[in-house]
Amino acid sequence: MPPKISVVTLNWNTKLETTKCVKSLQKIDFPEFEIIIVDNGSEDGSAEYFEKSFGDTVKIIKNETNLGYSAGFNIGIDKAIANGAEYVLIINSDTIVDSEILKELLKVFSEGKKIGFVTGKVKFMIGDKKTDIIQTIGKSSHHIFLVSGQIGAGEKDIGKYDKIKELEFCDDVFMLVSRDVIREVGSYDPDFFLQCEQADWQLRAKKCGFRVFFTPHAQIWHKGSISTGGDDSPKRHYFGSRNRILLVSKNGSRLQLLKLFLYLIFYDLPLRSLSFITKNKLALVSARLHGLFSGIIWFLNHNPKNQYTK
């Protein structure tokens, strides 16, 4: 018998994009799996729209308020495990998937011990048009930030990334997660709300011996940042600045944290502020600044016991 899989996606005021995603998920070639939509306190009638569109074929969870990306997804993950899922596919709701993704992601779990996360190729989608341009195949580690930027971003898919391999990190645009990880490590840390949440989860899992893998045979197309307003969203810049501090505070060393503070205060904030000011994007200057102060205040208030591991 094939393992039981739950597919979990999170919706916040993007009912049309989420509907396209779910219709794509329903075409996946796999004997049996469930789809769970977590509606994160939407105000556009999303939950009712999904009930009318999908009936009993999709499970819908209604959060009364927007719990954020991490806590919102955790609601769906908990439901999946309670339903007996052996694997949970976490996927962004502004994506279209290839029909073979579950089969291909599952194959990798049989290739080694204690594999916890498996992802594949994420390619850009512009409007409703699929492209051959890679958004990410994973992430590498960084000596200060712990995790670096996207591998393969902006490259045309010409076969450079066509081998199954182990990664340092993967993005959670889509990733298949084993039940063992969730039971042993937990799921997302809700402190992150959004941004850096997947790196924190994977760092915690790696400390317990779990591994992250990539397969080129599973691919999806992603519009990106639809619900958060895109790259110029103050929300994204606020949490991007804040959560770097949380990530290193919770998982890094004293030296890494010191270097991060110096980088953010004396390089990142001044340079980005100058760039934003010249482009008349003053709201982003404020967002980065508030994110930095919020991260520092969080650190001073919490002083995580598991920091300073080196």
Side-chain angles (χ1 to χ4, degrees):
M1 292 292 292
K4 185 169 183 179
I5 297 179
S6 294
V7 180
V8 179
T9 193
L10 184 68
N11 174 81
W12 185 60
N13 294 326
T14 55
K15 60 186 179 185
L16 298 182
E17 292 299 330
T18 301
T19 297
K20 293 176 186 177
C21 174
V22 172
K23 287 181 177 179
S24 170
L25 292 170
Q26 290 178 323
K27 297 177 182 177
I28 291 176
D29 183 12
F30 197 77
E32 186 177 352
F33 61 96
E34 68 172 359
I35 299 173
I36 299 172
I37 304 175
V38 181
D39 183 65
N40 218 8
S42 295
E43 300 171 348
D44 65 347
S46 285
E48 294 74 20
Y49 185 84
F50 297 143
E51 289 173 344
K52 183 177 179 180
S53 299
F54 300 114
D56 296 333
T57 63
V58 172
K59 295 179 174 64
I60 301 164
I61 300 174
K62 304 175 188 178
N63 293 339
E64 292 185 3
T65 59
N66 181 3
L67 301 179
Y69 185 96
S70 299
F73 255 114
N74 283 352
I75 298 292
I77 293 169
D78 290 345
K79 180 66 173 178
I81 296 302
N83 289 349
E86 297 170 65
Y87 297 92
V88 179
L89 178 66
I90 293 166
I91 189 163
N92 284 191
S93 62
D94 54 346
T95 59
I96 298 296
V97 307
D98 180 82
S99 63
E100 298 296 313
I101 62 167
L102 287 184
K103 289 181 179 178
E104 296 298 338
L105 293 169
L106 271 174
K107 286 179 183 178
V108 182
F109 279 94
S110 63
E111 296 207 3
K113 293 183 178 180
K114 224 164 183 187
I115 296 176
F117 306 84
V118 182
T119 190
K121 287 182 181 177
V122 180
K123 297 180 182 180
F124 284 104
M125 186 164 62
I126 301 174
D128 289 325
K129 183 180 179 181
K130 299 175 182 177
T131 77
D132 209 25
I133 305 300
I134 295 171
Q135 183 179 114
T136 180
I137 65 113
K139 297 184 176 184
S140 55
S141 59
H142 191 279
H143 66 289
I144 297 176
F145 313 138
L146 303 184
V147 60
S148 72
Q150 308 288 4
I151 299 171
E155 298 180 25
K156 187 173 182 179
D157 186 13
I158 56 174
K160 181 179 178 181
Y161 305 105
D162 277 357
K163 292 184 179 179
I164 296 172
K165 66 175 185 177
E166 187 167 2
L167 297 170
E168 293 287 340
F169 300 93
C170 71
D171 204 309
D172 55 356
V173 177
F174 84 119
M175 61 184 185
L176 191 63
V177 186
S178 75
R179 178 174 59 190
D180 293 342
V181 169
I182 298 164
R183 286 180 170 175
E184 188 171 339
V185 180
S187 46
Y188 288 121
D189 180 344
D191 281 348
F192 286 89
F193 197 83
L194 60 90
Q195 302 287 337
C196 299
E197 72 289 326
Q198 79 278 22
D200 171 78
W201 190 5
Q202 290 163 26
L203 280 165
R204 287 185 281 120
K206 288 166 73 173
K207 288 175 184 176
C208 295
F210 288 101
R211 302 157 72 196
V212 183
F213 269 78
F214 160 81
T215 175
H217 307 301
Q219 61 180 343
I220 69 168
W221 290 264
H222 183 219
K223 290 188 175 181
S225 308
I226 297 295
S227 62
T228 56
D231 292 337
D232 285 343
S233 164
K235 181 185 294 185
R236 287 180 62 83
H237 283 273
Y238 169 83
F239 283 108
S241 182
R242 171 188 181 270
N243 287 355
R244 277 186 174 184
I245 296 171
L246 270 66
L247 181 67
V248 178
S249 295
K250 288 171 176 280
N251 299 283
S253 67
R254 181 191 297 267
L255 181 59
Q256 286 170 316
L257 189 60
L258 174 61
K259 287 181 177 180
L260 177 65
F261 281 137
L262 293 174
Y263 169 83
L264 291 175
I265 295 169
F266 295 108
Y267 181 79
D268 182 75
L269 183 62
L271 192 65
R272 285 181 181 268
S273 295
L274 180 61
S275 174
F276 293 148
I277 289 170
T278 58
K279 297 174 182 176
N280 198 30
K281 297 179 179 179
L282 300 183
L284 301 187
V285 177
S286 177
R288 300 293 299 193
L289 184 62
H290 283 119
L292 175 62
F293 283 130
S294 177
I296 292 172
I297 291 170
W298 182 93
F299 168 75
L300 293 174
N301 287 336
H302 291 81
N303 191 22
K305 294 180 180 180
N306 61 331
Q307 76 176 24
Y308 310 149
T309 56
K310 298 180 183 177

